[in-house]
Amino acid sequence: MPTLAGVQTLSVNGAAFAVAETASYNIGGKTRENIAGGGKGSVGFSQKGRAAFIEVEVFLGEGQKSSDLDVHAGEIKLECADRTIILSPGSYVGDLNVDASKNSLTARFEGSSAREVS
């Protein structure tokens, strides 16, 4: 799960949000686990799917509400200094609890796949 630095903005269905300087993401795909063979070493592996995600701390600006992040099957773009991560379709997962001291929340969006654009 890469952690990015130099994060600039998060766009949710075209609406831009200010974000913390770091975020994490995964482009999805499969994960493999070794199957040990009772003293014979590896006898193969098992695979399972892994959801693509983007997770970042979002700071709500003037007129923005936490419910603005509550999307289902939307386009999520995380723009960074050296790349853009696009999750489409992506849906908000978790709760929308805002930390009132910073007017922010940790937003997590998941979908079936994401891609990196340089």
Side-chain angles (χ1 to χ4, degrees):
M1 165 179 61
T3 298
L4 294 171
V7 177
Q8 297 170 337
T9 63
L10 175 76
S11 297
V12 178
N13 284 339
F17 292 88
V19 292
E21 292 182 7
T22 60
S24 58
Y25 75 98
N26 190 303
I27 59 172
K30 297 175 184 164
T31 183
R32 292 183 179 171
E33 290 185 12
N34 183 48
I35 298 174
K40 296 181 182 183
S42 178
V43 295
F45 60 89
S46 64
Q47 286 188 151
K48 60 183 174 179
R50 168 177 63 188
F53 73 88
I54 293 173
E55 185 171 292
V56 64
E57 183 178 9
V58 177
F59 299 99
L60 300 174
E62 182 103 14
Q64 291 180 321
K65 304 175 295 248
S66 60
S67 61
D68 295 339
L69 297 168
D70 191 13
V71 298
H72 178 67
E75 182 179 79
I76 315 302
K77 281 186 185 178
L78 185 66
E79 297 182 39
C80 307
D82 65 343
R83 71 189 90 177
T84 299
I85 311 302
I86 301 171
L87 177 66
S88 181
S91 299
Y92 186 90
V93 296
D95 58 40
L96 291 167
N97 292 334
V98 176
D99 177 351
S101 67
K102 298 188 288 180
N103 201 30
S104 70
L105 68 144
T106 299
R108 183 177 175 99
F109 300 91
E110 292 185 1
S112 57
S113 67
R115 67 185 188 277
E116 295 174 310
V117 180
S118 298

PDB file of all heavy atoms in Angstrom, residues 10-17 54 68-69 71-79 84-92 109-110 113 115:
ATOM      1  N   LEU A  10      -8.016  16.629  -3.829  1.00  0.00           N
ATOM      2  CA  LEU A  10      -8.898  15.491  -4.057  1.00  0.00           C
ATOM      3  C   LEU A  10     -10.109  16.031  -4.789  1.00  0.00           C
ATOM      4  O   LEU A  10     -10.691  17.036  -4.378  1.00  0.00           O
ATOM      5  CB  LEU A  10      -9.339  14.873  -2.725  1.00  0.00           C
ATOM      6  CG  LEU A  10     -10.366  13.747  -2.829  1.00  0.00           C
ATOM      7  CD1 LEU A  10      -9.701  12.462  -3.312  1.00  0.00           C
ATOM      8  CD2 LEU A  10     -11.047  13.516  -1.493  1.00  0.00           C
ATOM      9  N   SER A  11     -10.477  15.394  -5.889  1.00  0.00           N
ATOM     10  CA  SER A  11     -11.689  15.767  -6.622  1.00  0.00           C
ATOM     11  C   SER A  11     -12.681  14.627  -6.520  1.00  0.00           C
ATOM     12  O   SER A  11     -12.340  13.470  -6.790  1.00  0.00           O
ATOM     13  CB  SER A  11     -11.386  16.036  -8.097  1.00  0.00           C
ATOM     14  OG  SER A  11     -10.513  17.120  -8.225  1.00  0.00           O
ATOM     15  N   VAL A  12     -13.901  14.958  -6.118  1.00  0.00           N
ATOM     16  CA  VAL A  12     -14.982  13.984  -6.001  1.00  0.00           C
ATOM     17  C   VAL A  12     -16.088  14.437  -6.942  1.00  0.00           C
ATOM     18  O   VAL A  12     -16.727  15.458  -6.699  1.00  0.00           O
ATOM     19  CB  VAL A  12     -15.486  13.890  -4.544  1.00  0.00           C
ATOM     20  CG1 VAL A  12     -16.644  12.914  -4.440  1.00  0.00           C
ATOM     21  CG2 VAL A  12     -14.360  13.499  -3.611  1.00  0.00           C
ATOM     22  N   ASN A  13     -16.255  13.682  -8.032  1.00  0.00           N
ATOM     23  CA  ASN A  13     -17.214  14.065  -9.073  1.00  0.00           C
ATOM     24  C   ASN A  13     -17.029  15.519  -9.504  1.00  0.00           C
ATOM     25  O   ASN A  13     -17.975  16.272  -9.700  1.00  0.00           O
ATOM     26  CB  ASN A  13     -18.651  13.825  -8.614  1.00  0.00           C
ATOM     27  CG  ASN A  13     -19.018  12.361  -8.650  1.00  0.00           C
ATOM     28  OD1 ASN A  13     -18.408  11.568  -9.347  1.00  0.00           O
ATOM     29  ND2 ASN A  13     -20.023  11.994  -7.876  1.00  0.00           N
ATOM     30  N   GLY A  14     -15.772  15.950  -9.624  1.00  0.00           N
ATOM     31  CA  GLY A  14     -15.451  17.285 -10.101  1.00  0.00           C
ATOM     32  C   GLY A  14     -15.334  18.360  -9.030  1.00  0.00           C
ATOM     33  O   GLY A  14     -14.821  19.435  -9.302  1.00  0.00           O
ATOM     34  N   ALA A  15     -15.783  18.103  -7.819  1.00  0.00           N
ATOM     35  CA  ALA A  15     -15.676  19.077  -6.727  1.00  0.00           C
ATOM     36  C   ALA A  15     -14.326  18.896  -6.030  1.00  0.00           C
ATOM     37  O   ALA A  15     -13.986  17.791  -5.617  1.00  0.00           O
ATOM     38  CB  ALA A  15     -16.814  18.905  -5.730  1.00  0.00           C
ATOM     39  N   ALA A  16     -13.559  19.983  -5.896  1.00  0.00           N
ATOM     40  CA  ALA A  16     -12.219  19.916  -5.316  1.00  0.00           C
ATOM     41  C   ALA A  16     -12.249  20.137  -3.808  1.00  0.00           C
ATOM     42  O   ALA A  16     -13.017  20.963  -3.308  1.00  0.00           O
ATOM     43  CB  ALA A  16     -11.322  20.948  -5.972  1.00  0.00           C
ATOM     44  N   PHE A  17     -11.388  19.390  -3.104  1.00  0.00           N
ATOM     45  CA  PHE A  17     -11.268  19.490  -1.654  1.00  0.00           C
ATOM     46  C   PHE A  17      -9.793  19.642  -1.288  1.00  0.00           C
ATOM     47  O   PHE A  17      -8.932  19.027  -1.908  1.00  0.00           O
ATOM     48  CB  PHE A  17     -11.804  18.219  -0.973  1.00  0.00           C
ATOM     49  CG  PHE A  17     -13.291  18.045  -1.116  1.00  0.00           C
ATOM     50  CD1 PHE A  17     -13.815  17.387  -2.219  1.00  0.00           C
ATOM     51  CD2 PHE A  17     -14.155  18.538  -0.152  1.00  0.00           C
ATOM     52  CE1 PHE A  17     -15.179  17.216  -2.358  1.00  0.00           C
ATOM     53  CE2 PHE A  17     -15.521  18.373  -0.280  1.00  0.00           C
ATOM     54  CZ  PHE A  17     -16.034  17.721  -1.386  1.00  0.00           C
ATOM     55  N   ILE A  54      -8.535   4.783  -2.135  1.00  0.00           N
ATOM     56  CA  ILE A  54      -7.822   6.028  -1.865  1.00  0.00           C
ATOM     57  C   ILE A  54      -8.252   6.454  -0.474  1.00  0.00           C
ATOM     58  O   ILE A  54      -9.451   6.474  -0.175  1.00  0.00           O
ATOM     59  CB  ILE A  54      -8.182   7.128  -2.886  1.00  0.00           C
ATOM     60  CG1 ILE A  54      -7.675   6.767  -4.275  1.00  0.00           C
ATOM     61  CG2 ILE A  54      -7.634   8.488  -2.427  1.00  0.00           C
ATOM     62  CD1 ILE A  54      -8.125   7.717  -5.372  1.00  0.00           C
ATOM     63  N   ASP A  68     -20.900  16.031   1.104  1.00  0.00           N
ATOM     64  CA  ASP A  68     -20.435  16.228  -0.274  1.00  0.00           C
ATOM     65  C   ASP A  68     -19.488  15.101  -0.703  1.00  0.00           C
ATOM     66  O   ASP A  68     -19.279  14.882  -1.893  1.00  0.00           O
ATOM     67  CB  ASP A  68     -19.714  17.566  -0.425  1.00  0.00           C
ATOM     68  CG  ASP A  68     -20.628  18.765  -0.204  1.00  0.00           C
ATOM     69  OD1 ASP A  68     -21.865  18.611  -0.321  1.00  0.00           O
ATOM     70  OD2 ASP A  68     -20.100  19.856   0.082  1.00  0.00           O
ATOM     71  N   LEU A  69     -18.901  14.404   0.268  1.00  0.00           N
ATOM     72  CA  LEU A  69     -17.983  13.300  -0.029  1.00  0.00           C
ATOM     73  C   LEU A  69     -18.707  11.964  -0.175  1.00  0.00           C
ATOM     74  O   LEU A  69     -18.124  10.985  -0.623  1.00  0.00           O
ATOM     75  CB  LEU A  69     -16.950  13.172   1.094  1.00  0.00           C
ATOM     76  CG  LEU A  69     -16.030  14.366   1.287  1.00  0.00           C
ATOM     77  CD1 LEU A  69     -15.276  14.235   2.602  1.00  0.00           C
ATOM     78  CD2 LEU A  69     -15.074  14.498   0.123  1.00  0.00           C
ATOM     79  N   VAL A  71     -20.352   9.719  -1.949  1.00  0.00           N
ATOM     80  CA  VAL A  71     -20.679   9.363  -3.328  1.00  0.00           C
ATOM     81  C   VAL A  71     -20.749   7.849  -3.485  1.00  0.00           C
ATOM     82  O   VAL A  71     -20.133   7.101  -2.730  1.00  0.00           O
ATOM     83  CB  VAL A  71     -19.656   9.934  -4.336  1.00  0.00           C
ATOM     84  CG1 VAL A  71     -19.645  11.434  -4.294  1.00  0.00           C
ATOM     85  CG2 VAL A  71     -18.282   9.372  -4.101  1.00  0.00           C
ATOM     86  N   HIS A  72     -21.506   7.432  -4.465  1.00  0.00           N
ATOM     87  CA  HIS A  72     -21.589   6.018  -4.841  1.00  0.00           C
ATOM     88  C   HIS A  72     -21.337   5.939  -6.335  1.00  0.00           C
ATOM     89  O   HIS A  72     -22.013   6.607  -7.122  1.00  0.00           O
ATOM     90  CB  HIS A  72     -22.959   5.438  -4.494  1.00  0.00           C
ATOM     91  CG  HIS A  72     -23.101   4.011  -4.895  1.00  0.00           C
ATOM     92  ND1 HIS A  72     -22.377   2.998  -4.300  1.00  0.00           N
ATOM     93  CD2 HIS A  72     -23.848   3.424  -5.853  1.00  0.00           C
ATOM     94  CE1 HIS A  72     -22.681   1.853  -4.881  1.00  0.00           C
ATOM     95  NE2 HIS A  72     -23.575   2.093  -5.821  1.00  0.00           N
ATOM     96  N   ALA A  73     -20.354   5.156  -6.737  1.00  0.00           N
ATOM     97  CA  ALA A  73     -19.999   4.961  -8.150  1.00  0.00           C
ATOM     98  C   ALA A  73     -19.644   6.281  -8.822  1.00  0.00           C
ATOM     99  O   ALA A  73     -20.051   6.547  -9.939  1.00  0.00           O
ATOM    100  CB  ALA A  73     -21.117   4.238  -8.896  1.00  0.00           C
ATOM    101  N   GLY A  74     -18.847   7.103  -8.132  1.00  0.00           N
ATOM    102  CA  GLY A  74     -18.404   8.376  -8.693  1.00  0.00           C
ATOM    103  C   GLY A  74     -16.961   8.316  -9.149  1.00  0.00           C
ATOM    104  O   GLY A  74     -16.292   7.284  -9.043  1.00  0.00           O
ATOM    105  N   GLU A  75     -16.473   9.448  -9.661  1.00  0.00           N
ATOM    106  CA  GLU A  75     -15.073   9.534 -10.070  1.00  0.00           C
ATOM    107  C   GLU A  75     -14.288  10.251  -8.979  1.00  0.00           C
ATOM    108  O   GLU A  75     -14.597  11.384  -8.614  1.00  0.00           O
ATOM    109  CB  GLU A  75     -14.908  10.287 -11.386  1.00  0.00           C
ATOM    110  CG  GLU A  75     -13.445  10.330 -11.812  1.00  0.00           C
ATOM    111  CD  GLU A  75     -13.233  11.043 -13.120  1.00  0.00           C
ATOM    112  OE1 GLU A  75     -13.228  12.285 -13.120  1.00  0.00           O
ATOM    113  OE2 GLU A  75     -13.076  10.342 -14.140  1.00  0.00           O
ATOM    114  N   ILE A  76     -13.251   9.589  -8.467  1.00  0.00           N
ATOM    115  CA  ILE A  76     -12.414  10.114  -7.402  1.00  0.00           C
ATOM    116  C   ILE A  76     -11.012  10.306  -7.981  1.00  0.00           C
ATOM    117  O   ILE A  76     -10.430   9.353  -8.511  1.00  0.00           O
ATOM    118  CB  ILE A  76     -12.331   9.139  -6.201  1.00  0.00           C
ATOM    119  CG1 ILE A  76     -13.708   8.565  -5.832  1.00  0.00           C
ATOM    120  CG2 ILE A  76     -11.630   9.793  -5.033  1.00  0.00           C
ATOM    121  CD1 ILE A  76     -14.764   9.554  -5.491  1.00  0.00           C
ATOM    122  N   LYS A  77     -10.477  11.524  -7.877  1.00  0.00           N
ATOM    123  CA  LYS A  77      -9.125  11.811  -8.371  1.00  0.00           C
ATOM    124  C   LYS A  77      -8.291  12.375  -7.234  1.00  0.00           C
ATOM    125  O   LYS A  77      -8.694  13.343  -6.588  1.00  0.00           O
ATOM    126  CB  LYS A  77      -9.148  12.867  -9.478  1.00  0.00           C
ATOM    127  CG  LYS A  77      -9.546  12.394 -10.821  1.00  0.00           C
ATOM    128  CD  LYS A  77      -9.369  13.525 -11.818  1.00  0.00           C
ATOM    129  CE  LYS A  77      -9.869  13.131 -13.171  1.00  0.00           C
ATOM    130  NZ  LYS A  77      -9.746  14.247 -14.129  1.00  0.00           N
ATOM    131  N   LEU A  78      -7.147  11.781  -7.021  1.00  0.00           N
ATOM    132  CA  LEU A  78      -6.187  12.275  -6.046  1.00  0.00           C
ATOM    133  C   LEU A  78      -5.006  12.819  -6.833  1.00  0.00           C
ATOM    134  O   LEU A  78      -4.292  12.059  -7.482  1.00  0.00           O
ATOM    135  CB  LEU A  78      -5.748  11.143  -5.109  1.00  0.00           C
ATOM    136  CG  LEU A  78      -4.829  11.534  -3.973  1.00  0.00           C
ATOM    137  CD1 LEU A  78      -5.547  12.459  -2.986  1.00  0.00           C
ATOM    138  CD2 LEU A  78      -4.328  10.295  -3.256  1.00  0.00           C
ATOM    139  N   GLU A  79      -4.821  14.132  -6.805  1.00  0.00           N
ATOM    140  CA  GLU A  79      -3.757  14.766  -7.580  1.00  0.00           C
ATOM    141  C   GLU A  79      -2.560  15.035  -6.692  1.00  0.00           C
ATOM    142  O   GLU A  79      -2.683  15.636  -5.630  1.00  0.00           O
ATOM    143  CB  GLU A  79      -4.273  16.043  -8.222  1.00  0.00           C
ATOM    144  CG  GLU A  79      -5.383  15.749  -9.218  1.00  0.00           C
ATOM    145  CD  GLU A  79      -5.904  16.961  -9.932  1.00  0.00           C
ATOM    146  OE1 GLU A  79      -5.080  17.834 -10.278  1.00  0.00           O
ATOM    147  OE2 GLU A  79      -7.114  17.027 -10.138  1.00  0.00           O
ATOM    148  N   THR A  84      -1.286  11.262 -10.717  1.00  0.00           N
ATOM    149  CA  THR A  84      -2.699  11.363 -10.364  1.00  0.00           C
ATOM    150  C   THR A  84      -3.236   9.945 -10.249  1.00  0.00           C
ATOM    151  O   THR A  84      -2.972   9.107 -11.111  1.00  0.00           O
ATOM    152  CB  THR A  84      -3.488  12.140 -11.440  1.00  0.00           C
ATOM    153  OG1 THR A  84      -2.947  13.462 -11.522  1.00  0.00           O
ATOM    154  CG2 THR A  84      -4.958  12.221 -11.111  1.00  0.00           C
ATOM    155  N   ILE A  85      -3.985   9.677  -9.178  1.00  0.00           N
ATOM    156  CA  ILE A  85      -4.617   8.383  -8.972  1.00  0.00           C
ATOM    157  C   ILE A  85      -6.098   8.577  -9.267  1.00  0.00           C
ATOM    158  O   ILE A  85      -6.726   9.472  -8.704  1.00  0.00           O
ATOM    159  CB  ILE A  85      -4.451   7.877  -7.525  1.00  0.00           C
ATOM    160  CG1 ILE A  85      -2.998   7.980  -7.063  1.00  0.00           C
ATOM    161  CG2 ILE A  85      -5.006   6.464  -7.378  1.00  0.00           C
ATOM    162  CD1 ILE A  85      -2.014   7.229  -7.896  1.00  0.00           C
ATOM    163  N   ILE A  86      -6.656   7.752 -10.143  1.00  0.00           N
ATOM    164  CA  ILE A  86      -8.072   7.851 -10.509  1.00  0.00           C
ATOM    165  C   ILE A  86      -8.772   6.559 -10.124  1.00  0.00           C
ATOM    166  O   ILE A  86      -8.375   5.480 -10.560  1.00  0.00           O
ATOM    167  CB  ILE A  86      -8.247   8.132 -12.013  1.00  0.00           C
ATOM    168  CG1 ILE A  86      -7.538   9.442 -12.386  1.00  0.00           C
ATOM    169  CG2 ILE A  86      -9.730   8.191 -12.373  1.00  0.00           C
ATOM    170  CD1 ILE A  86      -7.461   9.691 -13.869  1.00  0.00           C
ATOM    171  N   LEU A  87      -9.796   6.691  -9.309  1.00  0.00           N
ATOM    172  CA  LEU A  87     -10.626   5.573  -8.876  1.00  0.00           C
ATOM    173  C   LEU A  87     -12.015   5.820  -9.454  1.00  0.00           C
ATOM    174  O   LEU A  87     -12.685   6.773  -9.081  1.00  0.00           O
ATOM    175  CB  LEU A  87     -10.681   5.524  -7.349  1.00  0.00           C
ATOM    176  CG  LEU A  87     -11.548   4.467  -6.686  1.00  0.00           C
ATOM    177  CD1 LEU A  87     -10.999   3.074  -6.965  1.00  0.00           C
ATOM    178  CD2 LEU A  87     -11.604   4.701  -5.187  1.00  0.00           C
ATOM    179  N   SER A  88     -12.394   4.994 -10.427  1.00  0.00           N
ATOM    180  CA  SER A  88     -13.692   5.211 -11.068  1.00  0.00           C
ATOM    181  C   SER A  88     -14.222   3.876 -11.583  1.00  0.00           C
ATOM    182  O   SER A  88     -13.555   3.233 -12.385  1.00  0.00           O
ATOM    183  CB  SER A  88     -13.544   6.195 -12.224  1.00  0.00           C
ATOM    184  OG  SER A  88     -14.780   6.442 -12.838  1.00  0.00           O
ATOM    185  N   PRO A  89     -15.360   3.430 -11.124  1.00  0.00           N
ATOM    186  CA  PRO A  89     -16.221   4.087 -10.140  1.00  0.00           C
ATOM    187  C   PRO A  89     -15.717   3.822  -8.723  1.00  0.00           C
ATOM    188  O   PRO A  89     -15.186   2.759  -8.416  1.00  0.00           O
ATOM    189  CB  PRO A  89     -17.577   3.436 -10.352  1.00  0.00           C
ATOM    190  CG  PRO A  89     -17.265   2.062 -10.850  1.00  0.00           C
ATOM    191  CD  PRO A  89     -15.985   2.203 -11.651  1.00  0.00           C
ATOM    192  N   GLY A  90     -15.901   4.820  -7.876  1.00  0.00           N
ATOM    193  CA  GLY A  90     -15.494   4.714  -6.481  1.00  0.00           C
ATOM    194  C   GLY A  90     -16.618   5.149  -5.562  1.00  0.00           C
ATOM    195  O   GLY A  90     -17.435   5.996  -5.935  1.00  0.00           O
ATOM    196  N   SER A  91     -16.669   4.563  -4.384  1.00  0.00           N
ATOM    197  CA  SER A  91     -17.718   4.878  -3.411  1.00  0.00           C
ATOM    198  C   SER A  91     -17.092   5.178  -2.056  1.00  0.00           C
ATOM    199  O   SER A  91     -16.100   4.554  -1.669  1.00  0.00           O
ATOM    200  CB  SER A  91     -18.689   3.716  -3.266  1.00  0.00           C
ATOM    201  OG  SER A  91     -19.325   3.449  -4.497  1.00  0.00           O
ATOM    202  N   TYR A  92     -17.703   6.118  -1.334  1.00  0.00           N
ATOM    203  CA  TYR A  92     -17.252   6.446   0.016  1.00  0.00           C
ATOM    204  C   TYR A  92     -17.603   5.285   0.935  1.00  0.00           C
ATOM    205  O   TYR A  92     -18.704   4.766   0.874  1.00  0.00           O
ATOM    206  CB  TYR A  92     -17.932   7.731   0.512  1.00  0.00           C
ATOM    207  CG  TYR A  92     -17.392   8.197   1.837  1.00  0.00           C
ATOM    208  CD1 TYR A  92     -16.310   9.066   1.884  1.00  0.00           C
ATOM    209  CD2 TYR A  92     -17.923   7.745   3.034  1.00  0.00           C
ATOM    210  CE1 TYR A  92     -15.791   9.480   3.096  1.00  0.00           C
ATOM    211  CE2 TYR A  92     -17.402   8.146   4.250  1.00  0.00           C
ATOM    212  CZ  TYR A  92     -16.330   9.021   4.272  1.00  0.00           C
ATOM    213  OH  TYR A  92     -15.813   9.413   5.474  1.00  0.00           O
ATOM    214  N   PHE A 109     -12.285   5.940  -0.023  1.00  0.00           N
ATOM    215  CA  PHE A 109     -13.094   5.585  -1.180  1.00  0.00           C
ATOM    216  C   PHE A 109     -12.594   4.252  -1.695  1.00  0.00           C
ATOM    217  O   PHE A 109     -11.386   4.036  -1.788  1.00  0.00           O
ATOM    218  CB  PHE A 109     -12.956   6.648  -2.278  1.00  0.00           C
ATOM    219  CG  PHE A 109     -13.381   8.015  -1.847  1.00  0.00           C
ATOM    220  CD1 PHE A 109     -12.466   8.901  -1.299  1.00  0.00           C
ATOM    221  CD2 PHE A 109     -14.703   8.413  -1.963  1.00  0.00           C
ATOM    222  CE1 PHE A 109     -12.855  10.165  -0.890  1.00  0.00           C
ATOM    223  CE2 PHE A 109     -15.105   9.675  -1.551  1.00  0.00           C
ATOM    224  CZ  PHE A 109     -14.174  10.553  -1.010  1.00  0.00           C
ATOM    225  N   GLU A 110     -13.511   3.345  -2.040  1.00  0.00           N
ATOM    226  CA  GLU A 110     -13.135   2.040  -2.566  1.00  0.00           C
ATOM    227  C   GLU A 110     -13.856   1.767  -3.872  1.00  0.00           C
ATOM    228  O   GLU A 110     -14.951   2.283  -4.103  1.00  0.00           O
ATOM    229  CB  GLU A 110     -13.464   0.931  -1.561  1.00  0.00           C
ATOM    230  CG  GLU A 110     -12.620   0.969  -0.322  1.00  0.00           C
ATOM    231  CD  GLU A 110     -12.856  -0.203   0.613  1.00  0.00           C
ATOM    232  OE1 GLU A 110     -13.681  -1.094   0.290  1.00  0.00           O
ATOM    233  OE2 GLU A 110     -12.213  -0.238   1.667  1.00  0.00           O
ATOM    234  N   SER A 113     -11.253  -1.046  -9.242  1.00  0.00           N
ATOM    235  CA  SER A 113      -9.901  -0.816  -9.764  1.00  0.00           C
ATOM    236  C   SER A 113      -9.608   0.680  -9.810  1.00  0.00           C
ATOM    237  O   SER A 113     -10.503   1.508  -9.832  1.00  0.00           O
ATOM    238  CB  SER A 113      -9.740  -1.426 -11.159  1.00  0.00           C
ATOM    239  OG  SER A 113     -10.546  -0.742 -12.093  1.00  0.00           O
ATOM    240  N   ARG A 115      -6.263   3.532 -11.326  1.00  0.00           N
ATOM    241  CA  ARG A 115      -5.101   3.624 -12.215  1.00  0.00           C
ATOM    242  C   ARG A 115      -4.278   4.852 -11.855  1.00  0.00           C
ATOM    243  O   ARG A 115      -4.788   5.825 -11.327  1.00  0.00           O
ATOM    244  CB  ARG A 115      -5.524   3.655 -13.677  1.00  0.00           C
ATOM    245  CG  ARG A 115      -6.282   4.871 -14.117  1.00  0.00           C
ATOM    246  CD  ARG A 115      -6.740   4.714 -15.575  1.00  0.00           C
ATOM    247  NE  ARG A 115      -7.303   5.938 -16.093  1.00  0.00           N
ATOM    248  CZ  ARG A 115      -8.531   6.344 -15.913  1.00  0.00           C
ATOM    249  NH1 ARG A 115      -9.358   5.613 -15.205  1.00  0.00           N
ATOM    250  NH2 ARG A 115      -8.956   7.481 -16.426  1.00  0.00           N
TER     251      ARG A 115
END
